[in-house]
Structures are given as structure tokens and as C-alpha cells.
Amino acid sequence: MYQMVQGNVAASPVNPKLKQTKEMRPLVGASVLGTLLVLAAVVAWSYYTASLRKADLLKTELLDLNRDGFVIWNRPGGKIVFRMDFRSGALDLDSCSKDGKILSCTQSDAGKLNFFIQTVKPKETVMCYRVRWEEFSEREVEHAMSYKEAHWYGGAETSTQHWPILISGLQPPKPFLTSDIYSNRDAFGGILERYWLSSSATAIKINDSVPFHLGWNATEETLYFQARYQNTPYKPAPGQEPFPELSYRVCVGSDVTSIHKYMVRRYFNKPTKVPSENIFKYPIWSTWAIYKSGIDREKLLRYAENIKKNNFNCSHLELDNRYTTYYGDFEFDPVKFPNATEMFQKLRDDGFHVSLWTHPFINYNSSNFGVGIERGLFVREPTGQLPAMVRWWNGIGAILDFTNPAARDWYLSNLKDLKSKYGVASFKFDAGETSYLPEQFSTFTPLPDPSYFTRRYTEMAMPFYERAELRVGYQSQNISCLFRIIDRDSVWGFELGLKSLIPTVLTISILGYQFILPDMIGGNVYPNRTDGSGELPDRELYIRWLELSAFMPSMQFSIPPWHYDKEVIEIAQRFTALHETLVAPLVLELAGEVLDTGDPIIRPLWWIAPNDENAHIVDSQFLIGDTLMVAPVLEPGKQERDIYLPKGRWRSYKGEHFDKTPQLLTDYPIDLDEIAYFTWVS
């Protein structure tokens, strides 16, 4: 039972307990290691399952949220179609929770906040996400939307308009308000909405309650959406703390056309009536570009006589600036317009409906300036004690406060008196941009968003809708009158020139304004902004402008064709006749549909080819409805152009048939007295 060891040294007996302990050490170590491994596995599994729960928590349908922003996928396993980053703070994800379709968080790295994303599926093919970030302090909220890998449309009329939107440079966020972009070409235009749409079938609409600022970074291909009250014209509602909130809706659809249709039907106002048929069928003749403020009775009657003499339709004559003695008067200057009653009667006898130019300003030298002060009709300085004086392009004066029912009634009463006394058909409502409000001001009804002033001004046109004209719009799609794009220069390019017409008309169409007046044929002939002699637009430019205008919802002349030559007169007669017989019936049919749907009359090519990447970027062609496609020549010295035909069967104005589409027609010949157009063949 003992083990003996050979040798001279006698073997010592072995302690059995010591031997057992030594033998057990490896087993104990292994056991401890195993236990630690099990514990580690349990911990890892716990963390893993917790991370899965957190990942599941931070998902809502096709949206993935992280501390720095969120992305939206077009479908499970598909591609990212929308990306928004949080620039002003990061979420504390430990503060986030999920209750049904609402994912909310209560903390950011800067402190407490109210943040949520609510998922709404209004129809099978549309998924929407309501996003809200509300601070409990005065610090601004800023999110950054990437516009990489998609083309974007909408936002605002701009001086240099492109389709799709073309961003350049770096712009810190600035108030997104209506402005006169003729005088300030870096501003946002007189027609704008907080709405953008992408070729990836995503759309975003910023909520009305947001003190909204827009900026961008072209290098990063990012738009900055910011909410703030500090150092801006926005004011919190009475009794509300100046804590900004940034809230918006992002919707994703199956294609760009269908998602836009959904957004328009869900979120946009729509007109309730169609203006007079005649303003769609026949040209409007304006005195502005030809006479400017030098218009008088003799020139007006001679202009009307020449319209008749050259065999043009005399449906609508627009008497522009300046027919009163002082700006702010509502009576004719007896020196420039003696016997105004007799003059109007003669024009009516000759078949003219005459509209008058009007504006929201009362200059200090007008007798109505004292009336306005006495009755409290003007926008006031911040204390509310004195009228706020403003400078506009015709001097210095006060601006009527259209939030004040007394000012609205007084203004409308004067317009109705002109209508009644002289038989005036309607009015051209000029200005109305918030850029003409003073930097600091107060109104009868507080304006949290200054662009509501624009909205209130557009409402003044409603009693005269049949032939009325506006150049501004904010949430004004239900005002059933013509919306004119801002004055054009008599130049070829994209900065308020001929090339800007189609991108601008497409943009305001996408914003919900469908009864469009594309300004005067040939532009306004302003000094140093005219291609041509200086007194007349370049002849070729005028002809190409005329041809394009004939395919717009309405046409407007000021510089008349007879100031050129017989050929230009004949071209103008032919295209006004084509507008009346081909374009106007289709426009009127579509105008009736606008009341129900809000769909554009003038449409981009992607409207009928939403998944065609080539159609997403065409900026010099357009559709009238779905069946008439127009491709004008917009380059000087050219009598040919490339034309893209989307999928479908097309017949050209020359009688050619094109069945193998989509197709690019290169160097398609178009003479100076032609415009290329194609009808869809069923």
C-alpha cells in the first residue's frame, strides 16, 4: 500500500490529504474559469438582448433612430431615401421609450426636451413620420437634411431658378419669409411654401408653428432646417415662452408623382373657383413695360387702338403704375387722365375689360396718409403708438395693416368704389412681400410668422378673383386668381431671364399655385438688364419668349409685336390663335380638376414617368396635363435642340410619330417661328 523509491535515501511517507489538494487544484481552476465564462456569456447575452431591445425600440416601421439623427428606408432591405442629422444636440437614448407608434425621448446632451416620432400609415403605399423636437430653453433647434443621391423640388420662387433645385455656396439659416427677389436677389421669393419633394419619392413639410429658418451647405449637400426666436422676425404666440420647436412631417411613397399627389390632397389649400375663361383664352395687355410710370390717357387710348388695329383680341387691358397723383390715392390724376369716366366708357365700347394696378402702400404725401393715421389703419412701430414708415420702389410711406378688419374694409371699399365708378373689371395686386415690412413692427393681430401678412394681403383679391392678379402667395392656394411670377429681365439666362420661366412655373406649380401668369412677353426692358437695343428686347429673344408664353396658362403682352416688324406681328397672331384653340381648352379642362385635386396644370416630365431618371432632370420641357409636351428653344442663335421623349407614343406638331420610347431626339430642327410640341397618342 505504500510506494517505495529505490536509492540510498530512505523514502518518506506521503500525506494523502496534501496529495489530494495538489491534484484538485487544476480542477478548481477549471471550475472557476468555467463559472466566469458562463457569467461572461450571461452578461454578453444580456447586453446582446438589451441591445436588440434597444435597436427594436429605436426602429419604427422603416425609420431607424440614433442619437445623432435618423434615416428612412424605402422598404425592408432596400435603400436609404431620407437622412436627417441633429445639429443642435444629440439624444440621450437611455431616455427614449416606445408606446405603440410613438417613439419619444426626454433628454438630450444639453438637457430636457420633448422629442417624438409618430408613425402614420394613411394608405397602403404611403408611410409618414411626424417629427417634433421641442426645447425647454431659448436655444435654437437645428436639423440637417441630406439631399445627396436624389433630386429635390419645391420650397420657393428664387431669382436664379433651376429645376431640380441647384444649391451653391454656404448659407447660414435665415428666416424663410416672402421677399421681393427683384430688388434682393439672394432672398426667398414672393411665392413660397415649407414643402420639398424628392425624386426618391420622399416629401417633407415643415409645420406652420415653427419659427422656420432655412440654410444650406453645397459642399456637404445639406439643407439646414432651424427653429429659433432670438434675433429673428418670428415671435412666440401671446403667452407662450420663446422656446423653439422644430416639427415636420416626412412621407415616403412608391414614386415621386404619387407621393406629391398625396401631400397636395392632404396638406395644401385648393382654389374654390376658376377665374374667367377669357384670361386663359386671350392675352392680357399691360401698360407697364412699354410706358412704365409715364402712362397717361393719350398713351393708353393709343395702345388700345393699336391692339385693335393689328387684329389682336382686346379682352383685357391692364392700366399699371401710375394713374393717381400720389401713391396711396384712389382717384385718377386729373392732369394725366382727364375725363376718366369717358375714357373707361370708350374702352368698354371697344371691348376691353380694364383692370387697375394697386398696392398696400400709402405714401406720406397722399391725403389718405392722414386718414390712415386717424383710423389706425397702418402697420405700426413696436410700441404701437406710431405708424412704421417703410421705403418701397416708389417712395416712402406707411403700409396698410391687413390683420386689422378696419384696414381691410377701408381698402376694399376704395377698390369697390373704383370698380363701381369707372366700371373697372379687376385689379393687379402688386407687392405684398414681408420684406416691405419694417424690421421691427406691430400689427393689430399679432403675427407669429410675418409671412401671414402676405396671406392676409392675398385675401384682398378674393372679391375680384375672375380677373385679379397677385405676385405673392403663402398658404394662398385657395385664392382663385392669377399668380404672376416676379418681374423678368429681358435676358436669356436663368437669373430672371427666359431660361428661368419653366423652372419657376414648375416650382410654384408643385407648391400648389396652378393659375399662373408667366409675366410679360420679352421681359420688362429695365435699364442695364436687357439683351437688345435697350428700348426693345432682342428680337429673337422676344419671339422665343412669345412662343413659350403661348403654351402657358395665360399670356401677357406689354412690349407689343408691332414695335418690331410685320413678321413678328404675324408670328404673334399665329401663336395667340394657337393658344386660344389648342392650349386654352386643355388648360380650362385641367383648371376644373384643380379644384378637386390640386394637381398641376403645368407638369414636369416625371409626372408621367416617375421612375425615369432622365425625366427627373429635364428643365427645359414641360407637360400641359398628361397629353401635351412642349420643348421650346431657349438659346440664342439656335434653330435646333435636343428633346427627350418619355415612354409612350408621341406625335409631333409636324405629324411625325415616335413609338420607340423613351428616346432622345438630338438636334431636332425648330425654325425661329416654331416651337416643338408633341401630343400623346393613346
Side-chain angles (χ1 to χ4, degrees):
M1 59 181 298
Y2 296 104
Q3 181 177 3
M4 303 298 294
V5 178
Q6 293 180 346
N8 295 327
V9 180
S12 301
V14 178
N15 187 332
K17 290 185 178 181
L18 180 60
K19 181 179 179 182
Q20 184 180 20
T21 300
K22 290 181 178 180
E23 291 176 350
M24 288 296 294
R25 282 177 182 173
L27 295 176
V28 171
S31 176
V32 171
L33 180 59
T35 302
L36 291 175
L37 289 174
V38 169
L39 287 173
V42 170
V43 170
W45 177 255
S46 298
Y47 275 110
Y48 175 68
T49 55
S51 65
L52 286 178
R53 287 194 298 271
K54 178 63 73 176
D56 182 62
L57 167 68
L58 300 179
K59 285 180 178 288
T60 174
E61 297 294 344
L62 298 174
L63 183 147
D64 292 349
L65 176 69
N66 60 63
R67 67 187 304 273
D68 298 316
F70 64 89
V71 297
I72 300 176
W73 302 76
N74 63 341
R75 63 181 182 277
K79 66 175 183 178
I80 294 175
V81 293
F82 187 86
R83 185 185 301 275
M84 186 75 83
D85 294 329
F86 304 146
R87 280 175 54 87
S88 55
L91 292 175
D92 177 356
L93 298 183
D94 290 333
S95 74
C96 299
S97 61
K98 191 173 182 182
D99 183 6
K101 298 293 185 180
I102 299 178
L103 195 165
S104 59
C105 307
T106 59
Q107 289 280 141
S108 73
D109 58 359
K112 289 184 178 181
L113 84 160
N114 175 22
F115 173 86
F116 73 79
I117 297 176
Q118 180 180 12
T119 304
V120 180
K121 190 170 185 178
K123 54 189 299 187
E124 187 61 32
T125 57
V126 176
M127 185 72 73
C128 293
Y129 304 91
R130 293 178 54 215
V131 182
R132 179 187 179 98
W133 182 304
E134 182 181 12
E135 289 284 346
F136 293 110
S137 69
E138 297 184 11
R139 61 192 297 269
E140 75 270 5
V141 182
E142 186 173 315
H143 294 179
M145 184 189 81
S146 171
Y147 60 84
K148 296 178 182 178
E149 300 174 0
H151 304 293
W152 285 83
Y153 318 92
E157 179 184 16
T158 56
S159 61
T160 303
Q161 198 93 47
H162 293 278
W163 181 271
I165 295 170
L166 178 62
I167 301 293
S168 61
L170 173 65
Q171 172 62 57
K174 60 183 179 179
F176 192 68
L177 302 173
T178 59
S179 300
D180 179 352
I181 51 172
Y182 195 85
S183 59
N184 182 3
R185 302 202 172 192
D186 293 327
F188 304 115
I191 298 175
L192 55 73
E193 300 292 335
R194 301 170 169 199
Y195 172 72
W196 288 266
L197 172 75
S198 88
S199 58
S200 294
T202 58
I204 181 169
K205 188 175 188 304
I206 310 297
N207 287 354
D208 300 342
S209 57
V210 176
F212 181 51
H213 298 67
L214 178 67
W216 55 83
N217 186 326
T219 303
E220 297 178 356
E221 298 182 78
T222 299
L223 292 180
Y224 300 146
F225 298 154
Q226 187 189 84
R228 80 170 191 267
Y229 287 114
Q230 291 182 325
N231 303 315
T232 80
Y234 295 103
K235 305 298 178 199
Q240 177 183 311
E241 295 283 355
F243 299 162
E245 62 144 288
L246 181 57
S247 55
Y248 47 87
R249 291 170 171 82
V250 181
C251 293
V252 181
S254 56
D255 61 64
V256 60
T257 305
S258 63
I259 193 60
H260 178 67
K261 286 183 176 182
Y262 168 77
M263 298 296 286
V264 168
R265 285 155 177 72
R266 177 66 179 83
Y267 297 116
F268 283 14
N269 294 321
K270 297 169 189 63
T272 57
K273 304 172 184 176
V274 176
S276 168
E277 286 190 12
N278 285 348
I279 64 170
F280 295 113
K281 293 172 66 176
Y282 309 121
I284 298 168
W285 298 87
S286 169
T287 63
W288 173 245
I290 181 174
Y291 296 118
K292 303 296 192 295
S293 59
I295 188 66
D296 58 26
R297 172 193 169 100
E298 180 184 350
K299 292 174 182 175
L300 179 64
L301 292 176
R302 185 167 65 246
Y303 190 51
E305 183 60 33
N306 281 328
I307 294 170
K308 293 177 58 182
K309 179 181 176 181
N310 286 280
N311 299 314
F312 288 98
N313 184 280
C314 49
S315 170
H316 191 140
L317 182 60
E318 195 171 78
L319 175 53
D320 211 296
N321 177 20
R322 161 186 190 182
Y323 56 88
T324 61
T325 304
Y326 300 106
Y327 293 106
D329 294 353
F330 290 92
E331 189 50 82
F332 280 85
D333 182 339
V335 176
K336 295 178 71 176
F337 290 92
N339 301 315
T341 302
E342 176 190 333
M343 178 188 75
F344 271 90
Q345 185 61 54
K346 175 173 173 48
L347 291 170
R348 283 196 302 275
D349 291 344
D350 288 342
F352 287 98
H353 295 267
V354 182
S355 60
L356 297 179
W357 176 71
T358 186
H359 53 82
F361 307 104
I362 309 294
N363 276 14
Y364 68 90
N365 53 359
S366 168
S367 60
N368 285 325
F369 185 76
V371 174
I373 291 178
E374 181 181 344
R375 299 188 185 182
L377 304 180
F378 299 139
V379 173
R380 295 174 174 266
E381 44 79 41
T383 68
Q385 300 300 310
L386 297 171
M389 302 300 285
V390 299
R391 182 181 295 277
W392 63 298
W393 66 91
N394 282 318
I396 298 174
I399 186 167
L400 288 166
D401 180 1
F402 293 105
T403 74
N404 184 347
R408 294 160 68 92
D409 291 346
W410 180 83
Y411 183 66
L412 285 176
S413 175
N414 279 286
L415 297 185
K416 289 176 179 178
D417 285 348
L418 284 169
K419 193 174 189 297
S420 174
K421 185 174 182 178
Y422 298 108
V424 172
S426 192
F427 297 91
K428 170 186 175 178
F429 292 82
D430 215 351
E433 296 91 347
T434 62
S435 56
Y436 286 109
L437 292 170
E439 187 172 337
Q440 299 292 328
F441 66 91
S442 63
T443 49
F444 181 86
T445 302
L447 290 175
D449 179 353
S451 283
Y452 282 129
F453 179 85
T454 293
R455 163 69 199 186
R456 295 291 172 259
Y457 180 58
T458 62
E459 292 169 355
M460 298 298 95
M462 293 176 73
F464 316 103
Y465 78 95
E466 288 189 318
R467 293 176 179 270
E469 170 191 326
L470 286 158
R471 81 174 198 189
V472 292
Y474 178 65
Q475 300 183 10
S476 307
Q477 298 95 333
N478 63 320
I479 309 297
S480 304
C481 64
L482 290 179
F483 285 85
R484 174 177 66 88
I485 64 177
I486 195 68
D487 300 24
R488 300 290 113 172
D489 288 327
S490 301
V491 297
W492 288 91
F494 282 103
E495 184 178 338
L496 297 179
L498 177 60
K499 288 183 180 178
S500 72
L501 254 66
I502 295 174
T504 303
V505 170
L506 288 174
T507 296
I508 66 173
S509 293
I510 288 298
L511 299 180
Y513 298 88
Q514 312 307 346
F515 306 144
I516 298 171
L517 181 63
D519 202 43
M520 301 168 197
I521 292 168
N524 286 264
V525 203
Y526 291 128
N528 303 318
R529 298 188 183 276
T530 298
D531 290 342
S533 65
E535 296 180 359
L536 286 177
D538 174 77
R539 181 178 183 272
E540 182 187 6
L541 173 67
Y542 184 87
I543 292 171
R544 293 304 192 191
W545 207 306
L546 163 64
E547 293 163 353
L548 172 54
S549 293
F551 285 83
M552 289 291 168
S554 56
M555 299 180 69
Q556 186 176 48
F557 285 100
S558 185
I559 300 297
W562 54 86
H563 275 201
Y564 290 93
D565 51 51
K566 182 180 178 181
E567 183 185 14
V568 175
I569 295 173
E570 290 173 350
I571 292 172
Q573 289 170 337
R574 189 165 75 252
F575 275 93
T576 54
L578 186 64
H579 177 85
E580 179 184 347
T581 57
L582 175 66
V583 178
L586 181 55
V587 167
L588 285 165
E589 177 186 344
L590 294 165
E593 296 175 7
V594 167
L595 308 187
D596 296 323
T597 67
D599 288 345
I601 293 174
I602 304 298
R603 301 173 180 176
L605 261 60
W606 54 248
W607 192 266
I608 60 170
N611 298 312
D612 184 339
E613 294 185 4
N614 292 315
H616 292 162
I617 60 174
V618 174
D619 66 348
S620 61
Q621 298 173 224
F622 60 93
L623 296 161
I624 306 175
D626 292 344
T627 59
L628 183 59
M629 185 179 66
V630 186
V633 173
L634 304 175
E635 298 278 355
K638 297 287 187 179
Q639 294 197 21
E640 69 283 323
R641 62 157 293 167
D642 294 347
I643 298 174
Y644 185 70
L645 300 177
K647 186 177 181 180
R649 300 174 62 206
W650 298 95
R651 183 177 65 246
S652 78
Y653 68 106
K654 300 176 182 180
E656 306 152 304
H657 285 263
F658 299 92
D659 297 330
K660 296 180 179 180
T661 55
Q663 180 180 354
L664 179 65
L665 308 178
T666 57
D667 295 330
Y668 186 84
I670 307 167
D671 290 341
L672 179 59
D673 63 346
E674 294 180 328
I675 185 172
Y677 62 93
F678 301 77
T679 53
W680 188 80
V681 181
S682 58

